[in-house]
Amino acid sequence: MTSPDTLVLRVAGRPVARYVTRPELPARLSPRPYLHPVTTLAGTVVTELSPGDHTHHLGVGVAVPDVEGHNFWGGRTFVRDQGPTELDNHGTQRHTGFQLRDPDGFVSELRWVAAGRELLRERRTVTATELTEVAWALDFTFALTNVTPGALSIGSPATNGRPGAAYGGFFWRARREDRAPDVFTADREGESEVHGRSAGWLALAGAGWTLVFAGATEETRRDPWFVRAAEYPGVGSSPAHTERLAVEPGDTVVRRIVTVVADGRLDRDEAAALVRKAVTP
């Protein structure tokens, strides 16, 4: 732990992730807590923070481009029949405190605020667990509760008219290298084959590292994966893939993603074995 606003996660005594709760960011980036850097056990960094191609990509976290018209993703907003548009509609995720704060995990509370009012309240639970001498797992659960008196809906550029752009929810901006990472699931390979499809797990493999993402609840496993490899390396789940996700007053949306962080390039059998070890009911 380095300050009241920053927490360092450790696995087997080694630092593997830094959680920043109150970053000083311009409103256009939709300020929010994030994990960066996240590393393998050998120390290879596997996240990026505010890269030049997408300055609103902030390591690992939760980002949603459309909560009842408010942008909690950052950058431009996709407007139907108009395209990406600069709007003054950005929200902020405000960390209000830790309910649990340990070297291997935390539970935190956040308020999602836009236009002067709170829309959602989040309970975020994150743990780091050793799997093998070369792999560990980041278990990330977020629960979003509608605290307004009316119904809210969560959307994406895809639901607003941009096919193939159903990003929003859990998102991991991965390490960019000279060569695009390989991406594969248990039965498919390549960005075009895995993007926009549901799969029990999905792997992103770079030069000397592999990330394996797995939905850890039935609802999460039903969400298709949002995948980028050629343009930039990033993976997220898509709760608003083809239709807006309605959240009634007092209702809570929960998603849980477990990510295996491994040194070396895993093959399918190795990836599947580590997912089985990492994902527990």
Side-chain angles (χ1 to χ4, degrees):
M1 302 178 189
T2 58
S3 78
D5 294 334
T6 303
L7 181 150
V8 175
L9 295 178
R10 298 179 182 274
V11 170
R14 286 173 280 190
V16 293
R18 180 172 178 261
Y19 185 60
V20 179
T21 62
R22 297 183 177 94
E24 295 183 2
L25 296 168
R28 184 183 180 276
L29 301 187
S30 297
R32 56 195 183 273
Y34 59 79
L35 288 154
H36 175 81
V38 179
T39 73
T40 67
L41 290 175
T44 300
V45 177
V46 289
T47 52
E48 286 201 0
L49 180 69
S50 202
D53 54 62
H54 291 78
T55 55
H56 49 280
H57 287 181
L58 307 177
V60 180
V62 183
V64 177
D66 182 353
V67 179
E68 208 63 30
H70 300 285
N71 183 342
F72 288 89
W73 176 270
R76 295 178 295 176
T77 296
F78 187 86
V79 178
R80 188 180 296 275
D81 300 325
Q82 188 171 324
T85 305
E86 289 286 354
L87 298 177
D88 183 17
N89 67 337
H90 295 90
T92 301
Q93 296 174 24
R94 297 178 181 171
H95 169 83
T96 59
F98 287 107
Q99 279 62 56
L100 175 70
R101 180 173 174 157
D102 287 333
D104 62 349
F106 62 86
V107 178
S108 65
E109 298 283 345
L110 300 89
R111 298 171 63 229
W112 291 45
V113 178
R117 70 180 184 127
E118 183 180 5
L119 303 178
L120 297 165
R121 193 162 298 165
E122 179 188 349
R123 184 177 179 88
R124 184 173 297 184
T125 305
V126 177
T127 60
T129 306
E130 184 178 17
L131 298 176
T132 69
E133 292 182 352
V134 296
W136 66 280
L138 182 74
D139 192 329
F140 193 116
T141 300
F142 64 94
L144 298 173
T145 300
N146 178 0
V147 295
T148 74
L152 294 176
S153 68
I154 292 172
S156 68
T159 64
N160 294 339
R162 183 184 173 191
Y167 52 83
F170 171 86
F171 182 70
W172 187 304
R173 174 58 197 253
R175 173 192 182 100
R176 186 163 198 155
E177 299 174 320
D178 292 338
R179 179 181 178 275
D182 294 327
V183 58
F184 57 91
T185 63
D187 57 1
R188 294 180 181 273
E189 186 166 355
E191 180 179 346
S192 63
E193 290 296 310
V194 302
H195 172 71
R197 297 177 184 270
S198 299
W201 57 264
L202 180 144
L204 194 72
W209 54 269
T210 305
L211 303 173
V212 189
F213 304 89
T217 67
E218 287 299 325
E219 281 189 321
T220 310
R221 282 188 283 271
R222 285 196 292 268
D223 293 338
W225 293 106
F226 173 83
V227 182
R228 290 290 185 264
E231 180 186 357
Y232 64 84
V235 172
S237 61
S238 302
H241 181 64
T242 56
E243 297 180 353
R244 299 184 69 88
L245 178 63
V247 189
E248 296 298 323
D251 283 358
T252 301
V253 173
V254 180
R255 294 294 189 270
R256 178 184 170 210
I257 296 92
V258 177
T259 307
V260 174
V261 182
D263 285 294
R265 291 173 63 86
L266 303 179
D267 61 26
R268 278 191 170 90
D269 290 342
E270 292 169 326
L274 285 171
V275 166
R276 287 193 296 271
K277 188 172 184 179
V279 179
T280 56

